[in-house]
Amino acid sequence: MTIRVIIADDESLMRSGLKLLLGAATDIEVIAEAVDGVEAIDLARRLSPDLVLMDIRMPRLDGLEAAQTLLSDPEHPQVLMLTAFGTDDFVHRALQSGAAGYILKDTPPEELINAVRAAADGTRTLSATALATLMSSRPTASAPGRDPLASLSTREREIAEAVAQGMTNAQVARSLFVSAATVKTHLARIFDKLEVTSRVQLALLVNSHR
């Protein structure tokens, strides 16, 4: 199935580059371009894309506010933030708005394409830099305690570790020689055991207990 994408960025050169890059993937189609948050919202509501690739700093309405507005709609596309800024405030605000991911503009092309695929599928994804930013802003535990990952089976722990490295379900499946459906089933159990609700929370938990 083709992933229909709207690119929102105020720099024409960036939009052209992204359109060329994403257009090279056989399963991704760029259906429109927006120059600011206001236009991104209007186009998304009219064209019903699967995903909006959203820059943060844009005129009239920035990407974070545009994402929050779009994601409050009953029927909304996934939103993947793509920006040059990896500050903890931006990352936290993006994730709190419900964005499916946060990727930096210097992300390698293949990783960006995989991030678009993952976000369109509802899988939250973070660039390594964004994840490191979250980790550095996370308060350090005051004292060591019981390993919260101890309840996981060996296979569940392998999958949790892979997710913490930013891998998608498909990438985890290939690395462990199992099906994507098996990974998804294990993840549901992992989320239940660890009482987390997103891949980001899981990644933070795993990385804080290494």
Side-chain angles (χ1 to χ4, degrees):
M1 186 175 66
T2 300
I3 301 169
R4 301 168 68 250
V5 176
I6 290 176
I7 297 173
D9 196 298
D10 61 325
E11 296 182 13
S12 60
L13 186 60
M14 178 59 68
R15 293 197 307 274
S16 297
L18 289 171
K19 184 175 182 179
L20 185 64
L21 171 64
L22 296 179
T26 58
D27 58 339
I28 300 175
E29 177 188 4
V30 177
I31 61 172
E33 300 173 33
V35 300
D36 56 44
V38 173
E39 188 175 16
I41 292 170
D42 177 62
L43 288 171
R45 287 173 172 171
R46 287 195 288 112
L47 301 178
S48 300
D50 299 302
L51 180 137
V52 178
L53 188 57
M54 187 92 73
D55 187 21
I56 285 184
R57 290 194 172 175
M58 295 186 291
R60 291 208 291 174
L61 188 69
D62 69 38
L64 291 172
E65 293 181 62
Q68 188 171 19
T69 299
L70 268 183
L71 293 168
S72 66
D73 289 347
E75 298 291 333
H76 61 77
Q78 298 290 348
V79 177
L80 177 62
M81 309 305 299
L82 179 68
T83 179
F85 306 96
T87 64
D88 57 351
D89 179 57
F90 282 159
V91 177
H92 281 291
R93 286 178 60 195
L95 298 180
Q96 287 170 359
S97 74
Y102 193 105
I103 303 295
L104 297 188
K105 288 184 176 179
D106 60 358
T107 298
E110 184 177 353
E111 289 184 26
L112 175 58
I113 291 174
N114 286 334
V116 167
R117 290 171 175 153
D121 191 42
T123 300
R124 182 168 281 182
T125 182
L126 290 175
S127 68
T129 302
L131 181 57
T133 297
L134 282 178
M135 289 301 301
S136 65
S137 65
R138 178 184 173 88
T140 304
S142 57
R146 184 183 68 84
D147 180 6
L149 307 182
S151 62
L152 302 182
S153 68
T154 300
R155 177 62 83 190
E156 288 169 348
R157 186 145 189 162
E158 288 175 340
I159 291 174
E161 291 278 356
V163 169
Q165 295 171 25
M167 297 173 66
T168 65
N169 285 5
Q171 290 171 327
V172 176
R174 286 195 296 270
S175 69
L176 298 179
F177 303 101
V178 298
S179 69
T182 297
V183 173
K184 191 171 183 179
T185 298
H186 278 302
L187 270 178
R189 293 174 183 160
I190 293 168
F191 280 22
D192 183 59
K193 286 183 178 181
L194 301 183
E195 299 182 349
V196 297
T197 59
S198 73
R199 298 168 81 90
V200 173
Q201 290 179 350
L202 175 60
L204 289 172
L205 185 61
V206 171
N207 283 298
S208 66
H209 288 84
R210 278 180 172 165

